[in-house]
PDB file of all heavy atoms in Angstrom:
ATOM      1  N   LEU A  19      -9.766  66.951 -84.640  1.00 97.00           N
ATOM      2  CA  LEU A  19     -10.387  67.269 -83.286  1.00 97.00           C
ATOM      3  C   LEU A  19     -10.457  65.998 -82.438  1.00 97.00           C
ATOM      4  O   LEU A  19     -10.307  66.040 -81.257  1.00 97.00           O
ATOM      5  CB  LEU A  19     -11.758  67.915 -83.450  1.00 97.00           C
ATOM      6  CG  LEU A  19     -11.706  69.362 -83.987  1.00 97.00           C
ATOM      7  CD1 LEU A  19     -13.180  69.831 -84.210  1.00 97.00           C
ATOM      8  CD2 LEU A  19     -11.046  70.210 -82.965  1.00 97.00           C
ATOM      9  N   THR A  20     -10.702  64.855 -83.019  1.00 96.00           N
ATOM     10  CA  THR A  20     -10.782  63.590 -82.290  1.00 96.00           C
ATOM     11  C   THR A  20      -9.421  63.303 -81.640  1.00 96.00           C
ATOM     12  O   THR A  20      -9.392  62.888 -80.464  1.00 96.00           O
ATOM     13  CB  THR A  20     -11.193  62.418 -83.252  1.00 96.00           C
ATOM     14  OG1 THR A  20     -12.525  62.764 -83.739  1.00 96.00           O
ATOM     15  CG2 THR A  20     -11.247  61.117 -82.501  1.00 96.00           C
ATOM     16  N   ALA A  21      -8.370  63.596 -82.350  1.00 94.00           N
ATOM     17  CA  ALA A  21      -7.010  63.336 -81.784  1.00 94.00           C
ATOM     18  C   ALA A  21      -6.795  64.359 -80.617  1.00 94.00           C
ATOM     19  O   ALA A  21      -6.231  64.008 -79.612  1.00 94.00           O
ATOM     20  CB  ALA A  21      -5.972  63.532 -82.896  1.00 94.00           C
ATOM     21  N   VAL A  22      -7.167  65.606 -80.843  1.00 96.00           N
ATOM     22  CA  VAL A  22      -6.977  66.670 -79.817  1.00 96.00           C
ATOM     23  C   VAL A  22      -7.797  66.244 -78.515  1.00 96.00           C
ATOM     24  O   VAL A  22      -7.336  66.501 -77.443  1.00 96.00           O
ATOM     25  CB  VAL A  22      -7.364  68.064 -80.303  1.00 96.00           C
ATOM     26  CG1 VAL A  22      -7.267  69.070 -79.206  1.00 96.00           C
ATOM     27  CG2 VAL A  22      -6.541  68.435 -81.523  1.00 96.00           C
ATOM     28  N   ALA A  23      -8.944  65.672 -78.728  1.00 96.00           N
ATOM     29  CA  ALA A  23      -9.838  65.348 -77.583  1.00 96.00           C
ATOM     30  C   ALA A  23      -9.161  64.370 -76.637  1.00 96.00           C
ATOM     31  O   ALA A  23      -9.284  64.405 -75.458  1.00 96.00           O
ATOM     32  CB  ALA A  23     -11.152  64.770 -78.093  1.00 96.00           C
ATOM     33  N   GLN A  24      -8.360  63.483 -77.240  1.00 96.00           N
ATOM     34  CA  GLN A  24      -7.632  62.455 -76.379  1.00 96.00           C
ATOM     35  C   GLN A  24      -6.679  63.193 -75.483  1.00 96.00           C
ATOM     36  O   GLN A  24      -6.479  62.848 -74.336  1.00 96.00           O
ATOM     37  CB  GLN A  24      -6.916  61.519 -77.307  1.00 96.00           C
ATOM     38  CG  GLN A  24      -7.803  60.554 -78.057  1.00 96.00           C
ATOM     39  CD  GLN A  24      -7.086  59.631 -78.956  1.00 96.00           C
ATOM     40  OE1 GLN A  24      -5.849  59.493 -78.965  1.00 96.00           O
ATOM     41  NE2 GLN A  24      -7.837  58.901 -79.762  1.00 96.00           N
ATOM     42  N   PHE A  25      -5.974  64.222 -75.975  1.00 96.00           N
ATOM     43  CA  PHE A  25      -5.003  65.019 -75.220  1.00 96.00           C
ATOM     44  C   PHE A  25      -5.789  65.833 -74.124  1.00 96.00           C
ATOM     45  O   PHE A  25      -5.338  65.943 -73.021  1.00 96.00           O
ATOM     46  CB  PHE A  25      -4.127  65.903 -76.049  1.00 96.00           C
ATOM     47  CG  PHE A  25      -3.279  65.107 -76.965  1.00 96.00           C
ATOM     48  CD1 PHE A  25      -3.319  65.337 -78.345  1.00 96.00           C
ATOM     49  CD2 PHE A  25      -2.410  64.127 -76.542  1.00 96.00           C
ATOM     50  CE1 PHE A  25      -2.541  64.688 -79.252  1.00 96.00           C
ATOM     51  CE2 PHE A  25      -1.614  63.394 -77.430  1.00 96.00           C
ATOM     52  CZ  PHE A  25      -1.660  63.657 -78.774  1.00 96.00           C
ATOM     53  N   GLU A  26      -6.920  66.442 -74.550  1.00 96.00           N
ATOM     54  CA  GLU A  26      -7.701  67.195 -73.652  1.00 96.00           C
ATOM     55  C   GLU A  26      -8.179  66.316 -72.451  1.00 96.00           C
ATOM     56  O   GLU A  26      -8.128  66.716 -71.300  1.00 96.00           O
ATOM     57  CB  GLU A  26      -8.929  67.749 -74.413  1.00 96.00           C
ATOM     58  CG  GLU A  26      -9.760  68.670 -73.487  1.00 96.00           C
ATOM     59  CD  GLU A  26     -11.027  69.130 -74.256  1.00 96.00           C
ATOM     60  OE1 GLU A  26     -11.717  68.320 -74.888  1.00 96.00           O
ATOM     61  OE2 GLU A  26     -11.190  70.377 -74.231  1.00 96.00           O
ATOM     62  N   ASN A  27      -8.643  65.152 -72.802  1.00 95.00           N
ATOM     63  CA  ASN A  27      -9.212  64.216 -71.774  1.00 95.00           C
ATOM     64  C   ASN A  27      -8.139  63.743 -70.778  1.00 95.00           C
ATOM     65  O   ASN A  27      -8.449  63.435 -69.634  1.00 95.00           O
ATOM     66  CB  ASN A  27      -9.899  62.989 -72.391  1.00 95.00           C
ATOM     67  CG  ASN A  27     -11.185  63.358 -73.114  1.00 95.00           C
ATOM     68  OD1 ASN A  27     -11.822  64.417 -72.777  1.00 95.00           O
ATOM     69  ND2 ASN A  27     -11.551  62.656 -74.128  1.00 95.00           N
ATOM     70  N   SER A  28      -6.911  63.706 -71.228  1.00 96.00           N
ATOM     71  CA  SER A  28      -5.798  63.317 -70.340  1.00 96.00           C
ATOM     72  C   SER A  28      -5.100  64.444 -69.654  1.00 96.00           C
ATOM     73  O   SER A  28      -4.102  64.316 -68.990  1.00 96.00           O
ATOM     74  CB  SER A  28      -4.846  62.411 -71.053  1.00 96.00           C
ATOM     75  OG  SER A  28      -4.239  63.074 -72.146  1.00 96.00           O
ATOM     76  N   GLY A  29      -5.612  65.724 -69.984  1.00 95.00           N
ATOM     77  CA  GLY A  29      -5.056  66.882 -69.333  1.00 95.00           C
ATOM     78  C   GLY A  29      -3.718  67.320 -69.873  1.00 95.00           C
ATOM     79  O   GLY A  29      -2.999  68.047 -69.152  1.00 95.00           O
ATOM     80  N   GLU A  30      -3.352  66.912 -71.016  1.00 95.00           N
ATOM     81  CA  GLU A  30      -2.063  67.247 -71.651  1.00 95.00           C
ATOM     82  C   GLU A  30      -2.158  68.582 -72.390  1.00 95.00           C
ATOM     83  O   GLU A  30      -2.297  68.643 -73.602  1.00 95.00           O
ATOM     84  CB  GLU A  30      -1.555  66.155 -72.533  1.00 95.00           C
ATOM     85  CG  GLU A  30      -1.351  64.821 -71.830  1.00 95.00           C
ATOM     86  CD  GLU A  30      -0.950  63.719 -72.811  1.00 95.00           C
ATOM     87  OE1 GLU A  30       0.210  63.773 -73.286  1.00 95.00           O
ATOM     88  OE2 GLU A  30      -1.725  62.792 -72.988  1.00 95.00           O
ATOM     89  N   GLY A  31      -2.133  69.689 -71.598  1.00 93.00           N
ATOM     90  CA  GLY A  31      -2.367  70.980 -72.171  1.00 93.00           C
ATOM     91  C   GLY A  31      -1.421  71.393 -73.297  1.00 93.00           C
ATOM     92  O   GLY A  31      -1.845  72.008 -74.261  1.00 93.00           O
ATOM     93  N   GLU A  32      -0.155  71.108 -73.109  1.00 94.00           N
ATOM     94  CA  GLU A  32       0.833  71.514 -74.117  1.00 94.00           C
ATOM     95  C   GLU A  32       0.529  70.813 -75.465  1.00 94.00           C
ATOM     96  O   GLU A  32       0.572  71.485 -76.560  1.00 94.00           O
ATOM     97  CB  GLU A  32       2.271  71.111 -73.661  1.00 94.00           C
ATOM     98  CG  GLU A  32       3.341  71.544 -74.669  1.00 94.00           C
ATOM     99  CD  GLU A  32       4.721  71.179 -74.148  1.00 94.00           C
ATOM    100  OE1 GLU A  32       5.017  71.435 -72.977  1.00 94.00           O
ATOM    101  OE2 GLU A  32       5.465  70.590 -74.966  1.00 94.00           O
ATOM    102  N   LYS A  33       0.063  69.549 -75.487  1.00 95.00           N
ATOM    103  CA  LYS A  33      -0.256  68.861 -76.672  1.00 95.00           C
ATOM    104  C   LYS A  33      -1.570  69.380 -77.265  1.00 95.00           C
ATOM    105  O   LYS A  33      -1.705  69.493 -78.460  1.00 95.00           O
ATOM    106  CB  LYS A  33      -0.335  67.373 -76.443  1.00 95.00           C
ATOM    107  CG  LYS A  33       1.067  66.730 -76.175  1.00 95.00           C
ATOM    108  CD  LYS A  33       0.900  65.249 -76.019  1.00 95.00           C
ATOM    109  CE  LYS A  33       2.370  64.631 -75.819  1.00 95.00           C
ATOM    110  NZ  LYS A  33       2.264  63.216 -75.645  1.00 95.00           N
ATOM    111  N   VAL A  34      -2.468  69.743 -76.396  1.00 96.00           N
ATOM    112  CA  VAL A  34      -3.731  70.331 -76.927  1.00 96.00           C
ATOM    113  C   VAL A  34      -3.406  71.595 -77.648  1.00 96.00           C
ATOM    114  O   VAL A  34      -3.865  71.872 -78.732  1.00 96.00           O
ATOM    115  CB  VAL A  34      -4.783  70.599 -75.759  1.00 96.00           C
ATOM    116  CG1 VAL A  34      -5.997  71.357 -76.271  1.00 96.00           C
ATOM    117  CG2 VAL A  34      -5.267  69.313 -75.122  1.00 96.00           C
ATOM    118  N   ALA A  35      -2.636  72.483 -76.976  1.00 95.00           N
ATOM    119  CA  ALA A  35      -2.319  73.732 -77.596  1.00 95.00           C
ATOM    120  C   ALA A  35      -1.560  73.564 -78.935  1.00 95.00           C
ATOM    121  O   ALA A  35      -1.917  74.205 -79.979  1.00 95.00           O
ATOM    122  CB  ALA A  35      -1.486  74.589 -76.667  1.00 95.00           C
ATOM    123  N   ARG A  36      -0.644  72.661 -78.991  1.00 95.00           N
ATOM    124  CA  ARG A  36       0.148  72.483 -80.204  1.00 95.00           C
ATOM    125  C   ARG A  36      -0.745  71.928 -81.329  1.00 95.00           C
ATOM    126  O   ARG A  36      -0.697  72.376 -82.450  1.00 95.00           O
ATOM    127  CB  ARG A  36       1.310  71.493 -79.902  1.00 95.00           C
ATOM    128  CG  ARG A  36       2.243  71.327 -81.105  1.00 95.00           C
ATOM    129  CD  ARG A  36       3.475  70.500 -80.825  1.00 95.00           C
ATOM    130  NE  ARG A  36       3.128  69.153 -80.399  1.00 95.00           N
ATOM    131  CZ  ARG A  36       3.463  68.583 -79.267  1.00 95.00           C
ATOM    132  NH1 ARG A  36       4.197  69.264 -78.385  1.00 95.00           N
ATOM    133  NH2 ARG A  36       3.117  67.296 -79.016  1.00 95.00           N
ATOM    134  N   HIS A  37      -1.590  71.014 -80.983  1.00 96.00           N
ATOM    135  CA  HIS A  37      -2.454  70.444 -81.975  1.00 96.00           C
ATOM    136  C   HIS A  37      -3.578  71.387 -82.421  1.00 96.00           C
ATOM    137  O   HIS A  37      -4.046  71.320 -83.578  1.00 96.00           O
ATOM    138  CB  HIS A  37      -3.090  69.112 -81.510  1.00 96.00           C
ATOM    139  CG  HIS A  37      -2.129  67.986 -81.628  1.00 96.00           C
ATOM    140  ND1 HIS A  37      -1.114  67.788 -80.666  1.00 96.00           N
ATOM    141  CD2 HIS A  37      -1.855  67.015 -82.594  1.00 96.00           C
ATOM    142  CE1 HIS A  37      -0.343  66.772 -81.020  1.00 96.00           C
ATOM    143  NE2 HIS A  37      -0.826  66.294 -82.191  1.00 96.00           N
ATOM    144  N   MET A  38      -3.945  72.359 -81.560  1.00 96.00           N
ATOM    145  CA  MET A  38      -4.906  73.308 -81.960  1.00 96.00           C
ATOM    146  C   MET A  38      -4.249  74.314 -82.969  1.00 96.00           C
ATOM    147  O   MET A  38      -4.953  74.869 -83.828  1.00 96.00           O
ATOM    148  CB  MET A  38      -5.524  74.106 -80.765  1.00 96.00           C
ATOM    149  CG  MET A  38      -6.526  73.252 -79.928  1.00 96.00           C
ATOM    150  SD  MET A  38      -7.795  72.433 -80.932  1.00 96.00           S
ATOM    151  CE  MET A  38      -8.667  73.791 -81.609  1.00 96.00           C
ATOM    152  N   GLU A  39      -2.996  74.538 -82.786  1.00 96.00           N
ATOM    153  CA  GLU A  39      -2.292  75.360 -83.821  1.00 96.00           C
ATOM    154  C   GLU A  39      -2.404  74.657 -85.185  1.00 96.00           C
ATOM    155  O   GLU A  39      -2.673  75.322 -86.188  1.00 96.00           O
ATOM    156  CB  GLU A  39      -0.839  75.512 -83.415  1.00 96.00           C
ATOM    157  CG  GLU A  39      -0.576  76.455 -82.301  1.00 96.00           C
ATOM    158  CD  GLU A  39       0.867  76.572 -81.895  1.00 96.00           C
ATOM    159  OE1 GLU A  39       1.657  75.604 -82.078  1.00 96.00           O
ATOM    160  OE2 GLU A  39       1.300  77.676 -81.443  1.00 96.00           O
ATOM    161  N   GLY A  40      -2.215  73.333 -85.138  1.00 96.00           N
ATOM    162  CA  GLY A  40      -2.330  72.598 -86.409  1.00 96.00           C
ATOM    163  C   GLY A  40      -3.767  72.633 -86.941  1.00 96.00           C
ATOM    164  O   GLY A  40      -4.012  72.715 -88.162  1.00 96.00           O
ATOM    165  N   PHE A  41      -4.745  72.579 -86.078  1.00 97.00           N
ATOM    166  CA  PHE A  41      -6.126  72.698 -86.463  1.00 97.00           C
ATOM    167  C   PHE A  41      -6.401  74.003 -87.143  1.00 97.00           C
ATOM    168  O   PHE A  41      -7.103  74.079 -88.161  1.00 97.00           O
ATOM    169  CB  PHE A  41      -7.070  72.529 -85.267  1.00 97.00           C
ATOM    170  CG  PHE A  41      -8.540  72.565 -85.542  1.00 97.00           C
ATOM    171  CD1 PHE A  41      -9.165  71.516 -86.125  1.00 97.00           C
ATOM    172  CD2 PHE A  41      -9.226  73.686 -85.275  1.00 97.00           C
ATOM    173  CE1 PHE A  41     -10.548  71.559 -86.434  1.00 97.00           C
ATOM    174  CE2 PHE A  41     -10.557  73.790 -85.587  1.00 97.00           C
ATOM    175  CZ  PHE A  41     -11.224  72.697 -86.146  1.00 97.00           C
ATOM    176  N   MET A  42      -5.817  75.119 -86.583  1.00 97.00           N
ATOM    177  CA  MET A  42      -6.051  76.394 -87.252  1.00 97.00           C
ATOM    178  C   MET A  42      -5.422  76.481 -88.602  1.00 97.00           C
ATOM    179  O   MET A  42      -6.000  77.088 -89.522  1.00 97.00           O
ATOM    180  CB  MET A  42      -5.585  77.535 -86.276  1.00 97.00           C
ATOM    181  CG  MET A  42      -6.399  77.686 -85.073  1.00 97.00           C
ATOM    182  SD  MET A  42      -5.956  79.069 -83.977  1.00 97.00           S
ATOM    183  CE  MET A  42      -4.714  78.290 -82.934  1.00 97.00           C
ATOM    184  N   LEU A  43      -4.278  75.846 -88.773  1.00 97.00           N
ATOM    185  CA  LEU A  43      -3.627  75.823 -90.113  1.00 97.00           C
ATOM    186  C   LEU A  43      -4.562  75.001 -91.107  1.00 97.00           C
ATOM    187  O   LEU A  43      -4.678  75.381 -92.227  1.00 97.00           O
ATOM    188  CB  LEU A  43      -2.294  75.177 -90.036  1.00 97.00           C
ATOM    189  CG  LEU A  43      -1.228  75.995 -89.334  1.00 97.00           C
ATOM    190  CD1 LEU A  43       0.121  75.224 -89.149  1.00 97.00           C
ATOM    191  CD2 LEU A  43      -0.944  77.327 -90.043  1.00 97.00           C
ATOM    192  N   LEU A  44      -5.119  73.873 -90.617  1.00 97.00           N
ATOM    193  CA  LEU A  44      -6.016  73.086 -91.408  1.00 97.00           C
ATOM    194  C   LEU A  44      -7.260  73.910 -91.795  1.00 97.00           C
ATOM    195  O   LEU A  44      -7.726  73.825 -92.913  1.00 97.00           O
ATOM    196  CB  LEU A  44      -6.392  71.837 -90.682  1.00 97.00           C
ATOM    197  CG  LEU A  44      -7.351  70.850 -91.309  1.00 97.00           C
ATOM    198  CD1 LEU A  44      -6.696  70.398 -92.688  1.00 97.00           C
ATOM    199  CD2 LEU A  44      -7.614  69.662 -90.484  1.00 97.00           C
ATOM    200  N   LEU A  45      -7.768  74.670 -90.805  1.00 97.00           N
ATOM    201  CA  LEU A  45      -8.936  75.547 -91.098  1.00 97.00           C
ATOM    202  C   LEU A  45      -8.536  76.527 -92.230  1.00 97.00           C
ATOM    203  O   LEU A  45      -9.365  76.718 -93.127  1.00 97.00           O
ATOM    204  CB  LEU A  45      -9.321  76.368 -89.880  1.00 97.00           C
ATOM    205  CG  LEU A  45     -10.356  75.782 -88.965  1.00 97.00           C
ATOM    206  CD1 LEU A  45     -10.514  76.730 -87.693  1.00 97.00           C
ATOM    207  CD2 LEU A  45     -11.670  75.531 -89.623  1.00 97.00           C
ATOM    208  N   ASP A  46      -7.383  77.129 -92.093  1.00 98.00           N
ATOM    209  CA  ASP A  46      -6.962  78.047 -93.167  1.00 98.00           C
ATOM    210  C   ASP A  46      -6.971  77.339 -94.538  1.00 98.00           C
ATOM    211  O   ASP A  46      -7.421  77.972 -95.550  1.00 98.00           O
ATOM    212  CB  ASP A  46      -5.513  78.567 -92.862  1.00 98.00           C
ATOM    213  CG  ASP A  46      -5.504  79.491 -91.696  1.00 98.00           C
ATOM    214  OD1 ASP A  46      -6.538  79.960 -91.183  1.00 98.00           O
ATOM    215  OD2 ASP A  46      -4.375  79.694 -91.177  1.00 98.00           O
ATOM    216  N   GLN A  47      -6.438  76.194 -94.608  1.00 97.00           N
ATOM    217  CA  GLN A  47      -6.321  75.381 -95.818  1.00 97.00           C
ATOM    218  C   GLN A  47      -7.781  75.106 -96.399  1.00 97.00           C
ATOM    219  O   GLN A  47      -7.959  75.219 -97.576  1.00 97.00           O
ATOM    220  CB  GLN A  47      -5.546  74.138 -95.623  1.00 97.00           C
ATOM    221  CG  GLN A  47      -5.358  73.268 -96.809  1.00 97.00           C
ATOM    222  CD  GLN A  47      -4.674  71.977 -96.506  1.00 97.00           C
ATOM    223  OE1 GLN A  47      -4.953  71.361 -95.457  1.00 97.00           O
ATOM    224  NE2 GLN A  47      -3.769  71.550 -97.382  1.00 97.00           N
ATOM    225  N   GLN A  48      -8.613  74.684 -95.476  1.00 97.00           N
ATOM    226  CA  GLN A  48      -9.972  74.317 -95.895  1.00 97.00           C
ATOM    227  C   GLN A  48     -10.691  75.590 -96.464  1.00 97.00           C
ATOM    228  O   GLN A  48     -11.422  75.493 -97.459  1.00 97.00           O
ATOM    229  CB  GLN A  48     -10.775  73.693 -94.748  1.00 97.00           C
ATOM    230  CG  GLN A  48     -10.215  72.468 -94.156  1.00 97.00           C
ATOM    231  CD  GLN A  48     -10.144  71.333 -95.145  1.00 97.00           C
ATOM    232  OE1 GLN A  48     -11.083  71.067 -95.853  1.00 97.00           O
ATOM    233  NE2 GLN A  48      -9.022  70.603 -95.156  1.00 97.00           N
ATOM    234  N   PHE A  49     -10.475  76.704 -95.823  1.00 98.00           N
ATOM    235  CA  PHE A  49     -11.101  77.907 -96.318  1.00 98.00           C
ATOM    236  C   PHE A  49     -10.522  78.357 -97.643  1.00 98.00           C
ATOM    237  O   PHE A  49     -11.251  78.734 -98.555  1.00 98.00           O
ATOM    238  CB  PHE A  49     -10.941  79.038 -95.278  1.00 98.00           C
ATOM    239  CG  PHE A  49     -11.543  80.375 -95.665  1.00 98.00           C
ATOM    240  CD1 PHE A  49     -12.946  80.521 -95.809  1.00 98.00           C
ATOM    241  CD2 PHE A  49     -10.715  81.457 -95.912  1.00 98.00           C
ATOM    242  CE1 PHE A  49     -13.455  81.740 -96.188  1.00 98.00           C
ATOM    243  CE2 PHE A  49     -11.252  82.669 -96.320  1.00 98.00           C
ATOM    244  CZ  PHE A  49     -12.640  82.822 -96.457  1.00 98.00           C
ATOM    245  N   ASP A  50      -9.167  78.264 -97.719  1.00 98.00           N
ATOM    246  CA  ASP A  50      -8.537  78.691 -98.993  1.00 98.00           C
ATOM    247  C   ASP A  50      -8.988  77.818-100.177  1.00 98.00           C
ATOM    248  O   ASP A  50      -8.973  78.259-101.305  1.00 98.00           O
ATOM    249  CB  ASP A  50      -6.972  78.568 -98.835  1.00 98.00           C
ATOM    250  CG  ASP A  50      -6.479  79.684 -97.929  1.00 98.00           C
ATOM    251  OD1 ASP A  50      -7.133  80.630 -97.632  1.00 98.00           O
ATOM    252  OD2 ASP A  50      -5.315  79.541 -97.503  1.00 98.00           O
ATOM    253  N   ASN A  51      -9.361  76.551 -99.841  1.00 98.00           N
ATOM    254  CA  ASN A  51      -9.794  75.661-100.942  1.00 98.00           C
ATOM    255  C   ASN A  51     -11.331  75.629-101.103  1.00 98.00           C
ATOM    256  O   ASN A  51     -11.861  74.724-101.729  1.00 98.00           O
ATOM    257  CB  ASN A  51      -9.320  74.233-100.628  1.00 98.00           C
ATOM    258  CG  ASN A  51      -7.809  74.119-100.816  1.00 98.00           C
ATOM    259  OD1 ASN A  51      -7.224  74.621-101.769  1.00 98.00           O
ATOM    260  ND2 ASN A  51      -7.157  73.450 -99.905  1.00 98.00           N
ATOM    261  N   ASP A  52     -12.004  76.652-100.500  1.00 97.00           N
ATOM    262  CA  ASP A  52     -13.421  76.804-100.644  1.00 97.00           C
ATOM    263  C   ASP A  52     -14.218  75.613-100.158  1.00 97.00           C
ATOM    264  O   ASP A  52     -15.271  75.226-100.716  1.00 97.00           O
ATOM    265  CB  ASP A  52     -13.837  77.128-102.101  1.00 97.00           C
ATOM    266  CG  ASP A  52     -13.265  78.430-102.560  1.00 97.00           C
ATOM    267  OD1 ASP A  52     -13.281  79.416-101.743  1.00 97.00           O
ATOM    268  OD2 ASP A  52     -12.818  78.523-103.704  1.00 97.00           O
ATOM    269  N   LEU A  53     -13.732  74.958 -99.089  1.00 98.00           N
ATOM    270  CA  LEU A  53     -14.430  73.805 -98.535  1.00 98.00           C
ATOM    271  C   LEU A  53     -15.283  74.200 -97.299  1.00 98.00           C
ATOM    272  O   LEU A  53     -16.071  73.366 -96.849  1.00 98.00           O
ATOM    273  CB  LEU A  53     -13.421  72.719 -98.137  1.00 98.00           C
ATOM    274  CG  LEU A  53     -12.647  72.128 -99.326  1.00 98.00           C
ATOM    275  CD1 LEU A  53     -11.580  71.135 -98.877  1.00 98.00           C
ATOM    276  CD2 LEU A  53     -13.552  71.481-100.326  1.00 98.00           C
ATOM    277  N   ILE A  54     -15.092  75.388 -96.813  1.00 98.00           N
ATOM    278  CA  ILE A  54     -15.922  75.939 -95.754  1.00 98.00           C
ATOM    279  C   ILE A  54     -16.224  77.407 -96.045  1.00 98.00           C
ATOM    280  O   ILE A  54     -15.423  78.098 -96.729  1.00 98.00           O
ATOM    281  CB  ILE A  54     -15.264  75.831 -94.335  1.00 98.00           C
ATOM    282  CG1 ILE A  54     -13.935  76.611 -94.247  1.00 98.00           C
ATOM    283  CG2 ILE A  54     -15.082  74.399 -94.002  1.00 98.00           C
ATOM    284  CD1 ILE A  54     -13.320  76.613 -92.854  1.00 98.00           C
TER     285      ILE A  54
END
């Protein structure tokens, strides 16, 4: 999220969207591994 915030702050919408896709995959992984 810290990396995504940099793109958000500079208004780089395409990069925010792409990195949020990665964040959702990371969320899936964390859930599958019982970390959340």
Side-chain angles (χ1 to χ4, degrees):
L19 288 173
T20 298
V22 176
Q24 293 177 8
F25 299 123
E26 181 183 53
N27 291 336
S28 62
E30 298 178 69
E32 183 178 312
K33 289 183 179 180
V34 172
R36 185 172 64 238
H37 283 80
M38 287 312 296
E39 287 177 329
F41 180 79
M42 288 185 274
L43 291 173
L44 181 59
L45 268 177
D46 292 343
Q47 180 185 41
Q48 300 298 315
F49 179 66
D50 291 344
N51 290 317
D52 296 321
L53 299 174
I54 61 175

